[in-house]
Amino acid sequence: MSCGEPHETDCSEVLDHLYEFLDREMPDTDCTKFEVHFEECSPCLEKYGLEQAVKKLVKRCCGSDDVPTDLRAKVMGRIDLIRSGEPVPEQDVSVSPADAQGLATE
């Protein structure tokens, strides 16, 4: 997605790192660049608002559940593959019986 206008920070960079921005997992200087971009780019601002709303909804519905470390690592690895453009295996991210038990008891 791009609004077609030139920006100091490209729309694709903003969208590729949107969740890092939402989670404040990036340096303050990068956060400032993104904030400036959102002031200039309404399509990216709209996408930011949508993702922020989804994140709040997930937190409200699932925020008290702790995610097993192994499951989090598997999911994050899958996300990294998708972002890098590498082929993603057809199989689902599986949950070990121990992870499933941990989720069921929380």
Side-chain angles (χ1 to χ4, degrees):
M1 174 203 330
S2 176
C3 66
E5 300 293 325
H7 299 286
E8 184 176 327
T9 306
D10 190 60
C11 293
S12 62
E13 179 184 349
V14 171
L15 297 176
D16 285 347
H17 300 281
L18 188 56
Y19 274 91
E20 292 169 58
F21 176 79
L22 282 166
D23 295 336
R24 296 295 188 194
E25 295 177 344
M26 58 176 32
D28 289 341
T29 54
D30 289 341
C31 286
T32 301
K33 285 185 350 183
F34 279 41
E35 289 163 357
V36 168
H37 183 91
F38 292 134
E39 290 173 9
E40 300 172 346
C41 183
S42 59
C44 287
L45 178 61
E46 185 177 332
K47 179 71 172 168
Y48 165 73
L50 175 64
E51 295 301 330
Q52 186 179 40
V54 169
K55 186 172 172 56
K56 285 180 182 179
L57 178 64
V58 169
K59 183 176 182 179
R60 188 179 77 216
C61 295
C62 308
S64 62
D65 296 339
D66 290 330
V67 178
T69 306
D70 185 48
L71 177 59
R72 178 174 169 71
K74 288 177 186 176
V75 171
M76 294 307 294
R78 185 81 167 232
I79 290 171
D80 288 341
L81 279 176
I82 292 168
R83 283 184 177 162
S84 72
E86 293 182 36
V88 179
E90 291 290 323
Q91 65 195 29
D92 290 332
V93 174
S94 61
V95 178
S96 71
D99 287 343
Q101 180 63 30
L103 288 173
T105 60
E106 294 175 5

